[in-house]
Amino acid sequence: MAERILVTGGAGYIGSQTAKALARAGYEPVVFDNFVHGHEDAVRWGPLVRGDLRDASAVAAALTEYEIAGAVHFAAFTPVGESVRDPRAYFENNVTGSLNLLGALLDRGVGTFVFSSSCAIYGAPVTTPIDESHPQAPITPYGDTKLAVERAIAAYGTAYGLKWTALRYFNAAGADSEGELGEDHDPETHLIPLAIAAAMGTSAPLSVLGTDYDTPDGTAIRDYVHVEDLADAHVRALDYLRGGGKSDAFNLGSGTGSSVREVLAAVAAAAGRPVPSADAPRRAGDPPVLVADPAKAARVLGWRTRRSDLGTVVSSAFAWHTRPSGRT
């Protein structure tokens, strides 16, 4: 029988893609999701448990029923701006839920844990590209919650023998190459789907937040990494731990930055029409450049991006958002 892996938040954007990748790698993903943001039609590759990580008894019951062998933990609130407005919700959901999950795993002897972390733990970059030794100084409550969980899993590793990896994403983007899964947030806050909607006339013109950065075209530069490449990294991290690998943290990015204007040009090329946009002031706290140094993940996990060039990221997202049965 295939080993069962609990995938918290497995009905979400990256979680569902990782559940698919896990199934293809020979695991049985068991999705645990409260559907605050997830989508039931994205759960297709294994059992579904409806539950909230803040309910410790529900977590324990799922682990027992399915004889879970390891966990990949995505479930979290993520919009950065919302975390500033309502930090209490973020700490209660992201930190308390994670601690409940960790406690239940330890109580049942499940010692393999892959954590969906974020480059938000670094805060404003001191050096670029950013490697794993960069100072950790989050500037938002969202980043604070991710760092708090990273510190918890490191402490649990030292005290209880938990084997863990923390995967620090940069900008997740793109859609499934088979057209099954894509980015569908409500409200949508990410640049590429917002630009696609603007190009297709299903939303207002895009606001370009900041045109006076110290970058070649004046707009902010970000490292976009394809969601299928991220899913692959989670499978590799799980295999690495189950093969005796040392607990560690890894940056996941392409190592290449693209500006907002470059993204809009790529969307315009995919759509065959310009992206209506208007210049707007910078958003508070946004650094001019965020680019990963992914060398450690390549060296230790054997992970390299295959679909994270900007053209592929944008064309895959455009195809998913404009498919006949899809949402734009």
Side-chain angles (χ1 to χ4, degrees), residues 12 30 76 81 88 92 99 132 136 148 161 187 193 201 211 233 245 249 276-277 315:
V30 177
R88 177 179 177 179
E92 288 180 349
L99 294 177
E132 291 81 359
Q136 298 171 1
T211 59
S277 64
S315 63

Side-chain angles (χ1 to χ4, degrees), residues 25-293:
Y27 296 101
E28 182 178 11
V30 177
V31 169
F32 187 98
D33 203 294
N34 63 9
F35 291 96
V36 171
H37 296 297
H39 302 278
E40 189 166 358
D41 63 1
V43 182
R44 309 179 190 181
W45 293 277
L48 166 64
V49 179
R50 291 178 177 271
D52 194 301
L53 291 180
R54 290 168 291 186
D55 180 353
S57 62
V59 179
L63 296 180
T64 299
E65 178 179 358
Y66 290 98
E67 299 179 350
I68 296 298
V72 183
H73 178 36
F74 295 96
F77 294 158
T78 60
V80 170
E82 184 182 65
S83 80
V84 175
R85 295 189 299 272
D86 190 8
R88 177 179 177 179
Y90 275 65
F91 280 92
E92 288 180 349
N93 184 76
N94 296 4
V95 179
T96 301
S98 297
L99 294 177
N100 281 345
L101 172 62
L102 287 166
L105 291 170
L106 291 177
D107 288 346
R108 282 150 190 80
V110 181
T112 305
F113 188 79
V114 177
F115 177 51
S116 165
S117 191
S118 169
C119 67
I121 70 162
Y122 296 120
V126 177
T127 59
T128 299
I130 297 170
D131 67 16
E132 291 81 359
S133 66
H134 188 282
Q136 298 171 1
I139 57 176
T140 66
Y142 167 70
D144 287 331
T145 66
K146 290 294 186 180
L147 182 55
V149 177
E150 281 207 24
R151 288 176 171 166
I153 60 178
Y156 282 31
T158 300
Y160 312 122
L162 179 73
K163 300 290 288 182
W164 58 268
T165 58
L167 303 182
R168 300 168 179 168
Y169 316 158
F170 280 64
N171 286 57
D176 182 21
S177 57
E178 295 175 304
E180 294 181 298
L181 300 166
E183 193 166 5
D184 185 19
H185 302 116
D186 184 18
E188 186 57 73
T189 61
H190 292 174
L191 174 62
I192 291 173
L194 289 174
I196 291 170
M200 301 309 295
T202 58
S203 74
L206 182 82
S207 293
V208 178
L209 303 178
T211 59
D212 59 348
Y213 287 105
D214 184 17
T215 61
D217 66 17
T219 63
I221 291 173
R222 296 292 181 265
D223 185 336
Y224 295 93
V225 56
H226 198 283
V227 66
E228 287 184 317
D229 287 333
L230 289 177
D232 175 56
H234 288 78
V235 176
R236 288 175 181 272
L238 184 66
D239 288 343
Y240 164 78
L241 291 176
R242 297 188 67 74
K246 178 184 175 183
S247 297
D248 212 342
F250 301 94
N251 286 346
L252 300 182
S254 69
T256 300
S258 300
S259 73
V260 173
R261 295 211 189 280
E262 288 173 329
V263 170
L264 298 192
V267 172
R273 65 186 77 173
V275 178
S277 64
D279 294 347
R282 297 184 187 188
R283 185 169 54 187
D286 274 354
V289 179
L290 282 176
V291 176
D293 178 351

